Amino acid sequence: MGPKHFASPILGIFRVGSQIGALDAGSHLSSSQAHEQQLGQPGHCIYTRSQTFTGIYQAIRAKVRHWSARGLSFLGRVHVAKQVLAASLWYHATFQRPPEQLLQQISRQLTRYVASAQHHSQGDAAIALAQGNSQDSAALPAPASSAALFPRVLTSSLLPAQGGVGLVDVPTQIQALQSKVVSRLLEPERLAWKVFQLHHLSHAPQPSQLAYGATILFSTASTASLQLPARLMGYVTAFRALQPHRLLPVSDMPAEAILNEPLFFNQQIPVPLSRSATSGASGSMGSKPFTPQDQPLLLAAGLTKVAHLQAALRTQHPQALTACLQSMLLALPLPWQAVATATPTAPAWRQGVSSSGIQLIQNTHTGQQHSVSLHSQLLQAPAQAIFAFAPVHVIPWDPSRPWRGPTQQPARSTVALYSQGPLYGPDHLSLGVWGWGQQPGHQLVVRQASQRLRLIQARKHGILAPGTLTCQPRLLPSLGSDLTPAEVLQALESRWTASMQASPASRARLSSDMPTSQPAWMALTRGHRQHWSQRQQQQQAQQQQQPSQQPNQPHSGGATVHDTVDVLAPPGSHPQLCEWRRLWELASAAYFNRQHRVLWWRILHGCVMCGAFSAYIGRATVEQACCPYACCSSPAQPQTISHMFLECPMAATVISWLCRLWQAMTGHLPDASVATILAASTSEGQCASDALLQTWHRLRLAVLHSIWTAARIAASSTHASSQASQLSSQSHLASRLALKTVTSMIHHDWVKCNDDVRQLAGVCSSWLRGRDPSMTLEAFQNLWCHHDTLASIHTAHTGTGDKLELVVNLSDMVPVQLF
């Protein structure tokens, strides 16, 4: 009989009874074995991963060509990129990371598709109707296709409530999927593929005697020094990218968790600075944790955990080893020293062998005996004589995993018990000690892990405000300033206009043209901007110099070690940060039209393709960055965001109609300012109820989108800057489009009051996710029938009974004149 093989989609194929590990690249295999696959994954490394992912890349390109002809909106392309295009990559990428060059090509392909300009959009039909033509005659010239995405991919990949749109980020999603695989090692079920992974983690060549098992995931040991298989190396790297931290303070850890703590590669056990590693004199503690090279005698004696140190302190050893034990004991935090010097307690569980040779586990407190299943679960067994006792580790566990979401499995009334082998051995797990935020490390969910990875990268690149999880434009105010979002937007525009006035050599970075009255953070910096990695290296160098400048202090086991602090923990709150958080939550509201949401989202980020912004990023000349209308306040007025939507005479007519319309509804005249129209700031008495507040924001965004559409048509006209009559036509177009959009929203909501489109689709209604397609009559009246200004509902008497009819009162003359 030939040798048996064990197939695993995670670690490949292993030969049972021989050396555990993946097959070498130089193994000689037959042609049939070279293409053998397990669950779709190549079983042998001869079948290279580049061949697999190259085929996936070609399939994604074919799907991109198919979906590019569909004319989807921006959010529609974001959804297709996540659910259709990138989804074909996840299964194989869970087990093997694609080659970096191919991964960049896939990410670039998805970015091009999401950022590509469409020849026809949902707004084209509305423009045609506003001009009095049919939908087929709409001819809106599309801008040139571009692969650039504004805001950038990392900002767009954040959640909508954090300032993004949920765009898929392929590298971080792959890291989250791979970290999910290795997080299963922290769960007590003993599966076949776990045996091989734990073997590699416990018997890595460097160091070879630690036997830490899954605990190595939370240590500071370099993954390169572990010399793990390439696939397992990717899992460990992805898991550590989440930057787990201790959930409990050092002083609150239970004794069992303290005894399972490793002595090496532990940030809570640093090497003293003012003494050698083997001396017993006390001194200040550094930031470098102990390594096996610092204490070779302890490693040779097999003392690698606090439990080993506790047992060794009660026996006689040579003088050199005794000095090492005392040195290591003094390096422990004070709560850990108390546990290490305390008298060990009797183990709660012990393992023995019955007279028939069956391994049984007994509870020392109750005397109940259990047998062990193939998955290490304890099963009750009848009482019998047991011999050769040894302490073992048993964990209570709920196999249903309630944190992973609702399942079809029935809820368990009690948790099961799982055996983890010898006490404080390589398989000893201390659940609930490490994690992210408030979630333990073994309760990893891919969605939450991917969000955390994106937030960590966003903070590293300066996209998030310091100390918060709130996204802001790249020109960040300091935490001590009280600048509102409207003032931040105006500061962005000041930078754009300053770059337009500068010479071409210094247009991108110039500070002398900035007004002296601006705060210091608004000033433009000279010279080349440092990369985030260079800034991070400088910060690390400063942190390393700080301990040498501080006086020596004893190691008290405090929370100064950064493995107890979450990198995403917000230090506090600030009024301006709360305002940004409110804006992002409002911009992600489901009741907004999706095109309106995207436009306002880009306005808040300062990434609208107006003339000044296009010139700032190098996509337009200084002449093209000016307003195309000759009747503006100055001959060369820069077309900024505030000018395009508020100050330009073309936009001022529509904004004036919006303010007068709201005054006719509520009796309150809003200010036509940046704070009110663009930053969604409402004054006291402007909105008497939440329904009116929703009405105001929907009207406001509908008008902004109408102005933006009319500006796109004006920018595409070659004679717009020389013909003054063009202003009147574009102003009328924006006004008619705004009136048409508001009327259409009223009719759409009325349809939602009478019919449920989910019942007309012919499929299960639970399949149709997203916005609620139904609305109550009371909600419609509160939204659109306030004082019967925009619309009213009347009862019509027909032969079949009474019927409610909608009457739209809004027109170009009622309640206020449109032009």
Side-chain angles (χ1 to χ4, degrees):
M1 179 182 295
K4 297 181 179 179
H5 293 80
F6 169 75
S8 170
I10 299 179
L11 290 181
I13 295 181
F14 300 89
R15 180 171 299 176
V16 179
S18 61
Q19 181 180 2
I20 298 177
L23 296 177
D24 297 333
S27 301
H28 298 283
L29 302 172
S30 63
S31 58
S32 60
Q33 290 177 323
H35 296 84
E36 185 177 357
Q37 296 187 4
Q38 303 294 331
L39 296 181
Q41 280 297 109
H44 304 284
C45 55
I46 290 181
Y47 191 96
T48 59
R49 58 174 180 169
S50 61
Q51 293 176 293
T52 302
F53 290 106
T54 300
I56 296 177
Y57 172 65
Q58 298 297 335
I60 291 178
R61 292 187 61 183
K63 293 180 181 178
V64 167
R65 289 192 296 268
H66 169 77
W67 285 100
S68 297
R70 300 299 176 183
L72 299 177
S73 63
F74 174 76
L75 292 182
R77 297 194 299 273
V78 168
H79 185 76
V80 169
K82 178 179 180 180
Q83 300 295 339
V84 179
L85 303 180
S88 57
L89 184 69
W90 300 147
Y91 178 80
H92 295 273
T94 302
F95 308 118
Q96 282 187 328
R97 185 177 178 88
E100 292 302 324
Q101 183 177 3
L102 192 58
L103 184 60
Q104 293 178 2
Q105 293 178 0
I106 295 175
S107 302
R108 195 178 301 114
Q109 186 72 25
L110 297 181
T111 303
R112 284 200 186 104
Y113 168 71
V114 173
S116 62
Q118 304 298 309
H119 294 286
H120 299 283
S121 64
Q122 298 177 359
D124 298 343
I127 296 173
L129 293 176
Q131 294 174 338
N133 303 325
S134 61
Q135 296 185 15
D136 298 334
S137 62
L140 175 64
S145 301
S146 175
L149 182 65
F150 294 99
R152 294 298 187 181
V153 176
L154 189 54
T155 303
S156 302
S157 65
L158 298 177
L159 293 179
Q162 296 169 343
V165 290
L167 177 64
V168 60
D169 188 11
V170 177
T172 58
Q173 186 70 16
I174 292 177
Q175 280 187 319
L177 290 169
Q178 292 187 338
S179 62
K180 177 204 66 175
V181 177
V182 76
S183 68
R184 295 295 299 274
L185 297 178
L186 305 177
E187 299 179 352
E189 295 101 332
R190 180 57 59 90
L191 303 177
W193 65 271
K194 290 186 178 182
V195 177
F196 297 99
Q197 288 199 350
L198 290 174
H199 173 85
H200 286 297
L201 293 176
S202 302
H203 300 83
Q206 295 293 334
S208 59
Q209 302 177 6
L210 291 180
Y212 282 164
T215 310
I216 205 73
L217 298 173
F218 306 105
S219 66
T220 60
S222 173
T223 53
S225 64
L226 296 178
Q227 299 183 9
L228 299 173
R231 194 176 296 183
L232 183 57
M233 179 81 72
Y235 295 157
V236 176
T237 303
F239 187 86
R240 289 185 172 182
L242 293 169
Q243 300 188 20
H245 63 93
R246 296 180 184 271
L247 300 179
L248 298 176
V250 175
S251 58
D252 296 342
M253 293 178 58
E256 181 181 0
I258 293 176
L259 293 174
N260 192 45
E261 284 288 333
L263 296 178
F264 302 110
F265 303 110
N266 193 333
Q267 296 187 22
Q268 294 291 338
I269 310 178
V271 178
L273 293 177
S274 59
R275 61 176 175 85
S276 62
T278 58
S279 65
S282 62
S284 62
M285 293 296 172
S287 59
K288 177 181 176 296
F290 272 102
T291 62
Q293 290 74 18
D294 298 325
Q295 293 286 4
L297 295 180
L298 294 183
L299 181 63
L303 306 179
T304 59
K305 291 190 175 183
V306 178
H308 304 161
L309 179 63
Q310 183 190 48
L313 291 175
R314 286 164 176 77
T315 57
Q316 296 293 332
H317 299 283
Q319 183 178 2
L321 182 57
T322 302
C324 293
L325 293 176
Q326 293 298 327
S327 174
M328 183 62 71
L329 179 63
L330 294 176
L332 298 178
L334 294 180
W336 294 10
Q337 295 181 18
V339 174
T341 56
T343 304
T345 59
W349 298 86
R350 59 181 184 176
Q351 179 179 351
V353 181
S354 65
S355 57
S356 58
I358 301 177
Q359 291 186 353
L360 297 176
I361 295 181
Q362 183 182 28
N363 190 330
T364 58
H365 300 296
T366 62
Q368 179 65 46
Q369 297 179 3
H370 303 267
S371 61
V372 184
S373 67
L374 295 177
H375 298 286
S376 301
Q377 185 175 357
L378 300 188
L379 306 176
Q380 291 188 4
Q384 50 186 308
I386 303 179
F387 308 95
F389 289 104
V392 294
H393 181 48
V394 175
I395 292 180
W397 178 254
D398 184 4
S400 62
R401 300 182 182 89
W403 61 86
R404 296 184 184 271
T407 59
Q408 302 298 331
Q409 301 177 357
R412 298 175 180 264
S413 57
T414 57
V415 296
L417 299 175
Y418 285 82
S419 174
Q420 294 299 295
L423 193 63
Y424 306 116
D427 297 332
H428 188 115
L429 300 177
S430 299
L431 301 180
V433 177
W434 290 84
W436 307 277
Q438 300 297 328
Q439 186 175 8
H442 65 276
Q443 297 182 2
L444 188 142
V445 181
V446 176
R447 178 182 177 87
Q448 299 175 0
S450 61
Q451 294 173 6
R452 179 177 177 86
L453 289 172
R454 290 194 294 267
L455 288 174
I456 291 175
Q457 291 190 7
R459 174 163 295 181
K460 183 185 300 182
H461 289 75
I463 295 177
L464 296 183
T468 67
L469 302 182
T470 303
C471 184
Q472 287 184 290
R474 286 188 175 274
L475 187 57
L476 298 176
S478 60
L479 289 177
S481 62
D482 296 327
L483 296 178
T484 62
E487 295 173 340
V488 172
L489 181 59
Q490 292 174 353
L492 286 172
E493 296 175 348
S494 299
R495 170 169 287 193
W496 300 345
T497 55
S499 64
M500 293 173 57
Q501 298 171 2
S503 60
S506 61
R507 180 173 299 165
R509 296 290 181 266
L510 186 63
S511 59
S512 59
D513 292 339
M514 293 293 293
T516 56
S517 59
Q518 299 285 0
W521 64 269
M522 293 185 185
L524 299 174
T525 57
R526 286 185 181 272
H528 179 68
R529 182 179 180 181
Q530 283 186 335
H531 193 261
W532 64 268
S533 59
Q534 298 177 356
R535 295 195 301 268
Q536 187 178 17
Q537 293 177 0
Q538 293 179 1
Q539 293 177 1
Q540 292 177 355
Q542 294 177 0
Q543 293 177 358
Q544 294 177 359
Q545 296 175 1
Q546 288 179 359
S548 60
Q549 300 174 0
Q550 297 176 355
N552 296 338
Q553 296 179 359
H555 182 49
S556 59
T560 56
V561 184
H562 60 80
D563 67 349
T564 59
V565 180
D566 187 5
V567 295
L568 297 180
S573 179
H574 193 271
Q576 67 171 2
L577 300 178
C578 296
E579 180 65 16
W580 279 109
R581 191 179 300 111
R582 182 191 69 85
L583 288 179
W584 297 133
E585 292 177 355
L586 179 61
S588 61
Y591 52 78
F592 286 141
N593 181 281
R594 292 188 174 182
Q595 289 187 346
H596 302 174
R597 281 176 51 191
V598 172
L599 176 62
W600 191 37
W601 170 67
R602 286 177 171 149
I603 289 176
L604 293 177
H605 277 288
C607 294
V608 177
M609 282 298 173
C610 58
F613 178 71
S614 300
Y616 181 74
I617 62 177
R619 295 197 169 198
T621 62
V622 177
E623 293 75 14
Q624 295 173 344
C626 298
C627 183
Y629 302 109
C631 58
C632 282
S633 57
S634 61
Q637 174 65 39
Q639 190 186 38
T640 60
I641 295 178
S642 60
H643 178 81
M644 174 187 290
F645 292 102
L646 296 176
E647 300 171 359
C648 183
M650 185 271 294
T653 303
V654 191
I655 296 297
S656 175
W657 172 79
L658 171 66
C659 296
R660 289 183 288 110
L661 176 63
W662 190 254
Q663 183 183 22
M665 290 178 58
T666 63
H668 179 84
L669 181 62
D671 296 332
S673 60
V674 175
T676 303
I677 305 300
L678 300 182
S681 177
T682 56
S683 59
E684 185 178 358
Q686 180 176 348
C687 300
S689 62
D690 295 339
L692 281 179
L693 182 63
Q694 177 180 342
T695 306
W696 162 251
H697 289 310
R698 294 183 66 176
L699 292 174
R700 180 178 58 86
L701 294 188
V703 169
L704 291 178
H705 188 267
S706 303
I707 297 174
W708 165 246
T709 305
R712 289 174 59 193
I713 296 177
S716 62
S717 178
T718 57
H719 303 285
S721 59
S722 59
Q723 296 180 0
S725 60
Q726 187 74 9
L727 173 64
S728 176
S729 61
Q730 297 301 329
S731 178
H732 288 185
L733 172 61
S735 302
R736 288 195 300 267
L737 186 56
L739 179 62
K740 187 68 179 181
T741 304
V742 174
T743 305
S744 177
M745 290 191 301
I746 297 176
H747 284 288
H748 287 175
D749 287 350
W750 177 249
V751 172
K752 292 163 59 176
C753 292
N754 299 305
D755 300 314
D756 191 346
V757 295
R758 292 175 295 187
Q759 300 177 359
L760 305 176
V763 296
C764 183
S765 59
S766 60
W767 296 357
L768 305 175
R769 298 179 298 174
R771 293 177 293 179
D772 188 5
S774 61
M775 178 181 291
T776 62
L777 181 61
E778 181 182 2
F780 179 85
Q781 291 176 338
N782 295 333
L783 191 63
W784 300 112
C785 300
H786 186 71
H787 294 168
D788 293 340
T789 305
L790 300 180
S792 59
I793 300 176
H794 301 281
T795 303
H797 302 283
T798 61
T800 58
D802 296 341
K803 181 180 179 181
L804 296 179
E805 291 184 352
L806 172 67
V807 178
V808 178
N809 302 323
L810 181 64
S811 65
D812 55 353
M813 299 299 296
V814 179
V816 293
Q817 188 174 357
L818 182 59
F819 304 111

